[in-house]
Each structure stands twice: as C-alpha cells, then as structure tokens.
Amino acid sequence: MMAWVSLVLAGIFEMFGVNAINTYLKNKTRANIIKLIAFFVASFLLLSFAMKSLPMSTAYAIWTGIGASGGAVLGIIIYGEPRNIKRLFFISLILISAIGLKIIS
C-alpha cells in the first residue's frame, strides 16, 4: 500500500514540476529554479521507492499518467488553456487507464 501512496505522490510532484517549468520560464528567479528542482527530485525519489515493490511498467505508466493528465488540468485551471469535451475526454481516459492498472496489479 505504501508503494501506491508513494507512486501517487510522485505523480503529483511530477505535475507540480511541470508547472514549475512554466513558472520558471516566465520568471527566471533563483526561488523558481529551486522549486522546479525540488519538485522533480521529490518525484523521482518517490517513484524509485514505489518501484522497489511495483513492476516498472506499471509504476512508470501511472507516474506519467498522473503527471500528464495533472499537467493538462493545471493548464486548464491556471493558464486558461482550452477546455473542450474532447480534451477532457482524453484526459479522463489517461486517469481511467491508471486506475485500471492499479486494479489489475
């Protein structure tokens, strides 16, 4: 169970790391680069912990799924990126796939 919690947290940190890239590109301060590095370091450490007991293929798929869909959702919420039914449908497919991998693991 702890591996799954770590994996979800790793995906969340990945999502925040991607957001931190965007923040850094808009405002290149030392604080923003430190946040960017911290988010990705935390993400990779938690992913590596999760991979000690979860198959690499499952862990990586879920980690990237959370990061990708979370990044897209943050883009919609924070940056006003397009929110249309097709985009939301495909984001939900990524999340459903991650849940399916958890169920069959």
Side-chain angles (χ1 to χ4, degrees):
M1 184 64 178
M2 210 49 208
W4 285 102
V5 171
S6 295
L7 185 56
V8 169
L9 289 173
I12 291 169
F13 277 110
E14 174 79 3
M15 177 181 72
F16 288 137
V18 170
N19 185 56
I21 292 171
N22 197 34
T23 302
Y24 176 73
L25 291 174
K26 291 180 179 183
N27 186 13
K28 294 182 179 181
T29 64
R30 184 174 295 161
N32 285 339
I33 193 71
I34 290 170
K35 288 178 194 175
L36 186 155
I37 292 167
F39 285 137
F40 281 116
V41 166
S43 179
F44 279 105
L45 288 174
L46 288 163
L47 175 63
S48 67
F49 177 78
M51 287 176 59
K52 288 181 181 180
S53 58
L54 296 174
M56 184 272 307
S57 58
T58 301
Y60 185 72
I62 291 175
W63 177 68
T64 57
I66 293 170
S69 59
V73 169
L74 282 178
I76 291 168
I77 293 170
I78 296 173
Y79 301 108
E81 293 178 2
R83 177 188 350 196
N84 60 51
I85 193 70
K86 291 176 187 175
R87 189 168 192 198
L88 296 174
F89 171 74
F90 287 113
I91 291 169
S92 67
L93 282 181
I94 294 169
L95 294 173
I96 290 167
S97 297
I99 292 167
L101 286 170
K102 163 62 171 121
I103 291 170
I104 65 168
S105 292

